Amino acid sequence: MAGHPVSLSARDVGSFAYLTVKDRLPQILTKAIDTLHRHKSEFFEKHGEKGLEAEKKAISLLSKLRNELQTDKPIVPLVEKFVDTDLWNQYLEYQQSLLNESDGKPRWFLSPWLFVECYMYRRIHEAIIQSPPIDDFDIFKELKDQNFFESQESIIALCTHLQELMKTIEDLDENQLKNEFFKVLQISLWGNKCDLSLSGGKTVSQKINLINSLEDLKPFILVNDMEHLWSLLSNCKKKRGKAAITRVDIVLDNSGFELVTDLVLADLLLSSKLATEIHFYGKTIPWFVSDTTLHDFNWIIKQLKHSNHKWVSKCGVDWENHIKTGRWVYLDHMFWTLPHEFSAMPQVAPDLYATLQKAHLILFKGDLNYRKLTGDRRWEFTVPFHEALNGFHPAPVCSIRTLKAEVQVGLQPGQGEQLTASVPNWLTIGKYGIFQFDGPL
């Protein structure tokens, strides 16, 4: 790691990492405890006394975790055997090896923010799997569902836009198609504002019609590599033989409204023949409050299919069909819920890295993916994205994120300083966005 800047950490009092560990993470744990309390009668109905005992046990484990966090106790190894337990505990040992003797053990306010935040969500999962028979309970599900239901008007507008576009997509000339592609990319970008881990689990639904706001939002795109994406995919389309495939991989972020925007983008890619196959990657366990799991992915498509709005329902039917025909493939892998930065993937998850290498383009949605792409370090704003990726180049990649963490690279000289002078908290408020590409041009 020589030559790399230090990791973002709650050591820096007053930083966004510090405020997250001090305030936001305990709030999320409190909400998780409240959720278990509110489902008490449901657990009793389903499982009788055993359900009540399990609820008590999970609450006690989460309360203990909250106390450890708030009193800055040492990070302890995971105890419950699960597919990733050994990898987590090895990573904890690695974090220990980075510390000086005077530091003692890895702790919440000392160790890298990326590590301790991921660790908290993994400990929440441990508390649930240690509490059978409620060990399959998704503590964040109702928040994700609420985000989806409260964004209905925007979802209707989006599905209507897509279905109207489908009627004429075959007749669009290259320039018109490019404009539509850019529009749907921007919708997917601004859909990333709906992040429940940023709001401490408070609802953040999409109330405005994004399609009508795109022009107003353009000045807030700090790095705009959409042209590179168009150039790459339209070249693939032109050179593609009849039997050949163009595969775009989308590493998902939030469920709810954002997932719908990603599915709209995926549908456009297929319908326009810019891609012939889409692979989606989600999380194996509930993660960062609103991240997409297989259950969320299937649930949303089912909700859309059964909508009483014809265009919303048509989207659901079409998307279910893409899955049945294998043009859309959903995959998960435990690596996405490990604390490692992505540059460690070839060593830690060589199978996943080999899979990604087969893609023509990988779109990484959201902030956590960006933090893992760049190692969540205190980079200078002007450091090239390629350098910050630290050797992670499985295929051409593009980060599509709204900024909600104090890490951003690849800016023009003076751009970051100018923003800091006019909007001091520009890095963390989700107001600014990027399409940041790395790959051969």
Side-chain angles (χ1 to χ4, degrees), residues 203-266:
T203 179
V204 279
S205 54
Q206 180 62 41
K207 295 282 200 299
I208 58 159
N209 180 349
L210 261 183
I211 302 157
N212 299 336
S213 314
L214 294 180
E215 276 309 310
D216 298 337
L217 291 168
K218 261 191 186 147
F220 299 101
I221 301 175
L222 303 179
V223 178
N224 189 347
D225 289 340
M226 288 196 293
E227 286 283 352
H228 294 329
L229 302 183
W230 169 256
S231 157
L232 186 148
L233 293 175
S234 57
N235 281 337
C236 284
K237 181 179 173 179
K238 283 170 193 157
K239 292 174 186 167
R240 194 166 60 232
K242 270 211 158 65
I245 62 163
T246 300
R247 193 181 104 194
V248 174
D249 289 10
I250 304 177
V251 183
L252 299 167
D253 189 16
N254 300 301
S255 184
F257 178 73
E258 181 178 359
L259 177 57
V260 178
T261 69
D262 297 337
L263 299 178
V264 165
L265 171 60

Side-chain angles (χ1 to χ4, degrees), residues 308-323:
N308 52 16
H309 188 283
K310 68 171 181 175
W311 294 135
V312 176
S313 174
K314 174 88 166 68
C315 284
V317 170
D318 289 351
W319 298 348
E320 196 178 64
N321 194 42
H322 292 333
I323 294 164

